[in-house]
Amino acid sequence: MGYVHIGFTDSPHVQQSDRSILTRVPLRPRTVQTTFINPADLSRLVHVFDILAAVVFAVSGALVASRRGMDVMGFMWLAVITGVGGGTVRDLILDVPVFWVQNPVHVAACLATAVVMHFVAPRVESRYRTLLWFDAFGLALVTVAGTAKALDIGAPALVAIAMGAVTGSVGGIIRDTLGHVPSVLLRHEIYITASVVGACTYVGLNGLGLARVTSMTAGFLVTFGVRGLAIKFGWSLPVFRESATRERWKNARRDSARDDP
Amino acid sequence: MGYVHIGFTDSPHVQQSDRSILTRVPLRPRTVQTTFINPADLSRLVHVFDILAAVVFAVSGALVASRRGMDVMGFMWLAVITGVGGGTVRDLILDVPVFWVQNPVHVAACLATAVVMHFVAPRVESRYRTLLWFDAFGLALVTVAGTAKALDIGAPALVAIAMGAVTGSVGGIIRDTLGHVPSVLLRHEIYITASVVGACTYVGLNGLGLARVTSMTAGFLVTFGVRGLAIKFGWSLPVFRESATRERWKNARRDSARDDP
Amino acid sequence: MGYVHIGFTDSPHVQQSDRSILTRVPLRPRTVQTTFINPADLSRLVHVFDILAAVVFAVSGALVASRRGMDVMGFMWLAVITGVGGGTVRDLILDVPVFWVQNPVHVAACLATAVVMHFVAPRVESRYRTLLWFDAFGLALVTVAGTAKALDIGAPALVAIAMGAVTGSVGGIIRDTLGHVPSVLLRHEIYITASVVGACTYVGLNGLGLARVTSMTAGFLVTFGVRGLAIKFGWSLPVFRESATRERWKNARRDSARDDP
């Protein structure tokens, strides 16, 4: 079957997800008393969490703006691009309407965050470790949301996993590039890895036919768990080294940098 | 109402704007002698100005290429990306056809600018201050054009303002990132701010029901005025500082930069 | 004629190209014994080569990851973005579905390349000169593929040439920006130039009415030839200089860099 475009242009992101949840979780009228979460409530909860995730990312963007001594416009720009950048790139690649164009509540939340952060950034900075945990929460949430959006339009498993990772990391990568700080790609943290492992969990369980809520929750918990353990124990991925060759290269690079006008 | 896609894929940017102008400014046959600008002439004027704005931005891209000692291909690349980059990102986000794909007159103008600049850049550089005023003119023009395009497809006010700022600043941000010069985000100039204030003026007056030409002109004048005053008096936004904490951070950053391989 | 969107959303990239080749190269049943390449075989060959080109680009991304001491996730990220980044930006600008979303075989090939390279990068590095020739091959291939895709949807000649250059160079530019190495724009090599000259050849011959296979092959050979000669003889484009003015600027920049917080 081909790629149907028109169907999606008719409805913004959140409603799409809502409907899918309602469709895939049968209401089972006889056992309704055993459902501990109402699907409509769940979808509203997911929407609130999604905005919260954008705010958490916006805070990390504003902190980079603060460290570089930017003015309030720089705070706003970095907060918005970090908060909604990953989801924007995901939507462009999947060819669905960008999630904040019809209803810019995420952008408004990021802008408000930027203005507040312009005044309180140094105080937030001093609680950086607490912030890392909120960021892990945001990462887990957008990973699952990004993967779900790709699965909803029938993308293959690999693309769905990639979209989870893109939603979680592209905002931060643009933030680090614009703020001239070493990007998450250069720091040896378990960050994108946590996102990928969580997205794999979700896609795997989804492929096994589990209910949407179950596989989403599992993906969320695995992402948050892996990232959390990495924060707690300072985990990082091993880097394969062949030291002599690497040394030689580093010198070559240093020399060429010196010659660079 | 949903998001109608097909309507826009049928017509490129400029014609769309022309039609809107023709539609919203009634021709009033009895008072035609009092109309000091003919709508068709106005739209042709806007189109010429739009190309002029791309050329002005292309000049600023070529100047960065000149300062970094690039060859003519580097001049072309930076001129084109600075000239049409902002509008391209705007069109991708709004999900309308990219404005130069069906009729690449803007790209051709930027390429011609790049070739000329390759030979005369240092002489243009020495008139940098004059150039700043042309750049302010370009900024005011694309801000209004970007905001108008978003309003035309029924985007909310906040998105229309953001699209005005994106059209005005994204080209320059990519230029500065590729040219390894401190971006407009790091310099404490009133630049994006002028764009945002102008876009707010346009959207506000448009919301009050004023004629399209009136609110566009007001948005243009406010953007140009704010940017012009910033150039003339060296205005900048205040930066909130809590110096002790910031110092501590700067040191931490310097240390980590030293450890970075 | 307007811009038809729906027609293209129904079929992914490769099938599109296949069909075009089949359509434009008439099967000529009477002279079939003279056809030295079967069109169906040719299209399969082009597809295999296209994946090979992505792998070659992925290798160059992985080498940058290796020089910066990234972990395996950094290798994967840079390999994928270098391998498919140019084609992705091209597809977004042309408003056709991104080529790897329905069938992510290119992404899978880049990921496998990244994992292998994580262990063998230094050894590959020592054969950098051999690699340059493979890279030239990849550049020639994606230039022709990118130009063909733009021509297929009826883009003007200038846009088709630009899309050839974008497909060939954007992946590398993003790689160099994320890896904090001087981008191809700053090095005075004949790289993008080779791509542009080859794309011009293809578009020119196509405009003269030559068969698709002939003009594609000519475009490929010209790109590969120009780039190959540049590798062999160290060719570069001349840079126009007016040294006194440039010196003054360099000092000004150095001073402002010193003042930068």
Side-chain angles (χ1 to χ4, degrees):
Chain A
M1 200 194 72
Y3 179 85
V4 181
H5 188 92
I6 296 165
F8 293 98
T9 54
D10 187 52
S11 61
H13 170 39
V14 180
Q15 292 180 10
Q16 184 65 28
S17 306
D18 294 359
R19 246 181 257 154
S20 308
I21 287 173
L22 290 167
T23 311
R24 297 205 190 175
V25 182
L27 285 171
R28 287 174 303 173
R30 283 198 299 173
T31 59
V32 76
Q33 69 278 13
T34 66
T35 313
F36 66 103
I37 295 177
N38 183 297
D41 286 352
L42 178 67
S43 75
R44 212 169 302 132
L45 197 70
V46 166
H47 189 204
V48 170
F49 276 2
D50 200 37
I51 296 170
L52 207 68
V55 167
V56 170
F57 283 4
V59 167
S60 80
L63 285 179
V64 169
S66 161
R67 288 171 211 168
R68 302 304 313 240
M70 290 183 183
D71 58 30
V72 72
M73 196 51 66
F75 271 75
M76 284 174 161
W77 192 268
L78 274 192
V80 170
I81 217 162
T82 314
V84 306
T88 302
V89 170
R90 173 201 62 206
D91 290 350
L92 291 178
I93 289 176
L94 293 180
D95 203 5
V96 298
V98 172
F99 69 99
W100 51 267
V101 166
Q102 287 303 312
N103 179 14
V105 60
H106 292 81
V107 174
C110 292
L111 289 173
T113 307
V115 172
V116 173
M117 284 295 291
H118 183 239
F119 297 103
V120 304
R123 251 165 295 165
V124 174
E125 193 87 87
S126 64
R127 280 175 203 146
Y128 191 64
R129 226 178 145 72
T130 315
L131 208 74
L132 275 180
W133 286 95
F134 279 103
D135 189 71
F137 176 83
L139 177 69
L141 214 101
V142 301
T143 296
V144 170
T147 311
K149 199 160 186 182
L151 287 177
D152 281 351
I153 68 160
L158 181 59
V159 172
I161 294 166
M163 289 303 106
V166 160
T167 316
S169 59
V170 163
I173 290 172
I174 301 177
R175 171 199 65 204
D176 294 343
T177 304
L178 293 182
H180 295 282
V181 298
S183 94
V184 75
L185 292 173
L186 286 165
R187 299 194 299 263
H188 297 143
E189 297 180 67
I190 303 268
Y191 190 90
I192 305 179
T193 309
S195 180
V196 169
V197 172
C200 286
T201 307
Y202 176 9
V203 170
L205 295 180
N206 186 67
L208 292 173
L210 266 75
R212 185 182 169 88
V213 180
T214 314
S215 43
M216 278 181 96
T217 309
F220 175 86
L221 291 176
V222 168
T223 309
F224 187 73
V226 171
R227 176 68 187 139
L229 289 168
I231 295 172
K232 192 146 183 67
F233 300 110
W235 280 1
S236 65
L237 287 185
V239 178
F240 185 84
R241 281 178 203 276
E242 295 190 54
S243 52
T245 323
R246 189 174 303 281
E247 262 326 294
R248 206 181 330 131
W249 256 101
K250 235 193 249 169
N251 296 341
R253 198 154 51 77
R254 201 176 304 135
D255 294 350
S256 78
R258 212 177 290 146
D259 296 344
D260 191 51
Chain B
M1 204 194 71
Y3 180 85
V4 182
H5 188 93
I6 296 165
F8 293 97
T9 54
D10 187 52
S11 60
H13 169 41
V14 180
Q15 293 180 8
Q16 184 65 29
S17 305
D18 294 0
R19 248 180 254 155
S20 307
I21 287 172
L22 290 167
T23 311
R24 298 205 192 174
V25 182
L27 284 172
R28 288 173 302 173
R30 283 197 301 174
T31 59
V32 76
Q33 68 279 12
T34 64
T35 313
F36 67 103
I37 295 179
N38 182 296
D41 286 352
L42 176 67
S43 74
R44 213 170 300 133
L45 197 70
V46 167
H47 189 203
V48 171
F49 276 1
D50 201 38
I51 296 170
L52 206 68
V55 167
V56 169
F57 282 4
V59 167
S60 81
L63 285 179
V64 169
S66 161
R67 287 171 212 169
R68 303 304 311 240
M70 291 185 184
D71 59 29
V72 73
M73 194 52 64
F75 270 75
M76 284 174 160
W77 192 269
L78 274 192
V80 170
I81 216 162
T82 314
V84 305
T88 303
V89 169
R90 173 201 64 205
D91 289 350
L92 291 178
I93 289 176
L94 293 180
D95 203 4
V96 298
V98 172
F99 69 99
W100 50 268
V101 166
Q102 288 303 313
N103 179 15
V105 61
H106 291 80
V107 174
C110 292
L111 288 174
T113 307
V115 173
V116 173
M117 284 296 290
H118 183 239
F119 296 103
V120 304
R123 250 165 296 164
V124 173
E125 193 87 88
S126 65
R127 280 175 202 147
Y128 191 66
R129 224 174 147 76
T130 314
L131 208 74
L132 276 180
W133 285 96
F134 279 102
D135 189 71
F137 176 83
L139 177 70
L141 213 101
V142 302
T143 296
V144 170
T147 310
K149 200 161 186 181
L151 287 177
D152 280 351
I153 68 159
L158 181 58
V159 172
I161 295 164
M163 289 303 106
V166 160
T167 316
S169 60
V170 164
I173 290 173
I174 301 177
R175 171 199 68 204
D176 294 343
T177 304
L178 292 183
H180 296 280
V181 299
S183 94
V184 74
L185 292 173
L186 287 165
R187 300 194 300 262
H188 296 143
E189 297 179 67
I190 303 268
Y191 190 91
I192 305 179
T193 309
S195 180
V196 168
V197 173
C200 285
T201 307
Y202 175 9
V203 170
L205 295 180
N206 185 66
L208 292 174
L210 266 75
R212 186 183 169 87
V213 181
T214 315
S215 44
M216 277 181 96
T217 310
F220 175 88
L221 291 176
V222 168
T223 310
F224 187 74
V226 172
R227 177 67 187 139
L229 289 168
I231 295 172
K232 192 145 184 68
F233 300 109
W235 279 1
S236 66
L237 287 185
V239 179
F240 185 83
R241 282 178 203 277
E242 295 191 56
S243 53
T245 323
R246 189 175 304 279
E247 262 327 292
R248 206 180 331 131
W249 258 102
K250 233 193 247 169
N251 296 341
R253 199 154 51 76
R254 200 176 304 136
D255 295 348
S256 77
R258 211 178 288 146
D259 297 344
D260 192 51
Chain C
M1 201 193 73
Y3 180 86
V4 182
H5 188 94
I6 296 165
F8 293 97
T9 54
D10 188 52
S11 61
H13 169 41
V14 180
Q15 292 182 9
Q16 184 65 28
S17 305
D18 294 357
R19 247 181 256 155
S20 307
I21 288 171
L22 290 167
T23 311
R24 297 207 190 173
V25 182
L27 285 172
R28 288 174 301 172
R30 286 195 301 174
T31 59
V32 75
Q33 68 278 12
T34 65
T35 314
F36 68 103
I37 295 179
N38 182 297
D41 285 352
L42 176 69
S43 76
R44 213 170 300 131
L45 196 70
V46 166
H47 190 204
V48 170
F49 276 1
D50 201 37
I51 297 171
L52 207 68
V55 166
V56 170
F57 282 5
V59 166
S60 80
L63 285 179
V64 169
S66 161
R67 287 171 211 169
R68 303 303 311 239
M70 291 184 183
D71 58 30
V72 72
M73 194 53 63
F75 271 75
M76 285 174 160
W77 192 268
L78 274 193
V80 170
I81 216 162
T82 314
V84 305
T88 303
V89 170
R90 174 201 62 205
D91 290 350
L92 291 177
I93 289 176
L94 293 179
D95 203 5
V96 298
V98 172
F99 68 100
W100 50 267
V101 166
Q102 289 302 311
N103 179 15
V105 60
H106 292 80
V107 174
C110 292
L111 289 174
T113 308
V115 172
V116 173
M117 284 295 290
H118 183 238
F119 296 104
V120 305
R123 251 165 296 165
V124 174
E125 193 87 86
S126 65
R127 279 175 203 146
Y128 191 65
R129 224 176 147 73
T130 314
L131 208 74
L132 276 180
W133 286 96
F134 279 103
D135 189 71
F137 176 82
L139 177 70
L141 214 102
V142 301
T143 296
V144 170
T147 310
K149 199 161 187 181
L151 288 177
D152 281 351
I153 68 161
L158 181 59
V159 172
I161 294 164
M163 289 302 107
V166 160
T167 317
S169 60
V170 163
I173 290 172
I174 301 177
R175 170 200 68 204
D176 294 343
T177 304
L178 293 182
H180 295 281
V181 299
S183 94
V184 75
L185 293 173
L186 286 166
R187 300 194 300 263
H188 296 144
E189 297 180 66
I190 303 268
Y191 191 91
I192 305 179
T193 309
S195 180
V196 168
V197 173
C200 286
T201 307
Y202 175 10
V203 169
L205 295 180
N206 186 66
L208 293 174
L210 267 76
R212 185 183 169 87
V213 181
T214 314
S215 43
M216 278 181 96
T217 310
F220 175 87
L221 290 176
V222 168
T223 310
F224 187 74
V226 172
R227 176 69 187 138
L229 289 168
I231 295 173
K232 194 147 182 64
F233 300 109
W235 278 1
S236 66
L237 288 184
V239 179
F240 185 84
R241 282 177 203 277
E242 294 190 54
S243 52
T245 323
R246 190 176 303 280
E247 262 325 295
R248 205 179 334 129
W249 257 101
K250 233 193 248 167
N251 297 341
R253 198 155 50 77
R254 201 176 303 135
D255 295 348
S256 78
R258 211 178 287 145
D259 298 344
D260 191 51

